[in-house]
Amino acid sequence: MTLLILTGLRREARILAAPGHLVLTGGGDAVALEAAAERGAAAARGVISIGIAGALAPGLAPGDWVVGRAVREAARETGTDSAWADRLLGRLPGAVVGTVLGRDTMVAEAAEKAALHAATGALAVDMESHVAARVAARHGLPLAVARVVSDAAGRSLPPAARVGMRPDGGTDLPAVLRALAAAPWQLPALIRTGWEAERAFRALLRGHRRAGAGLAARFPSP
């Protein structure tokens, strides 16, 4: 039996790879990710959405951990496994706990982040947690969510940062360069976004190491 891990990027997948883990990258393609997760769920003992995320709540900074008590998707809310969430909180010092919002599209504007936080109360947003919640619910599997903040709630991502993810979770460098050439003024914001993302990736790596062979090495049996 495996732990089914849903994340967004290939770099995240490399960090999270471990024996007994089936790591799937979404790359912003929720339909393909859900289809792959459906195939992997038959042999899974649990589902976890883990990786970087955008903050919705003020006060969260790049590198901060958010552990989900629930996943919100539009008007639907799915609770996570409480014992699993508690174990994650115990292994991630300084982590905050609350609702995580799942969306099919990137939330890049500070104004939209503020509106979503006001409407849902969610602390962070990503593009995989709602898929993980749907798959876990259909198969009766325990669910966990642990996300590292990459961009703060008050930060809008520059246009070049919004086009850099390929559907396989890799980096589309030509698209980034084209966007930068079309609007060179965004270079300082793009560099800042890259530094903040690097801080999040390092936090993800430290958290993974701190917990041993994966952040949920002893997840609950279904």
Side-chain angles (χ1 to χ4, degrees), residues 53-61 63-70 80 85-86 88-100 117 121-125 145-149:
L56 298 181
L60 291 174
D64 289 346
W65 278 95
V66 176
V67 173
R69 286 288 186 198
T80 61
D86 288 342
L88 290 170
L89 285 168
R91 296 174 186 181
L92 299 169
V96 296
V97 62
T99 299
V100 173
H117 178 60
L123 302 182
V125 60
V145 175
R147 289 279 166 170
V148 185
V149 171

Side-chain angles (χ1 to χ4, degrees), residues 81-159:
D81 185 275
S82 59
W84 197 353
D86 288 342
R87 278 195 287 274
L88 290 170
L89 285 168
R91 296 174 186 181
L92 299 169
V96 296
V97 62
T99 299
V100 173
L101 180 67
R103 291 276 297 258
D104 285 348
T105 56
M106 186 180 297
V107 179
E109 293 289 342
E112 185 180 10
K113 294 179 186 180
L116 288 171
H117 178 60
T120 67
L123 302 182
V125 60
D126 65 69
M127 294 191 287
E128 297 83 38
S129 289
H130 59 312
V131 176
R134 290 199 297 257
V135 172
R138 280 196 296 268
H139 292 268
L141 295 170
L143 170 69
V145 175
R147 289 279 166 170
V148 185
V149 171
S150 178
D151 48 291
R155 185 83 76 203
S156 292
L157 298 178

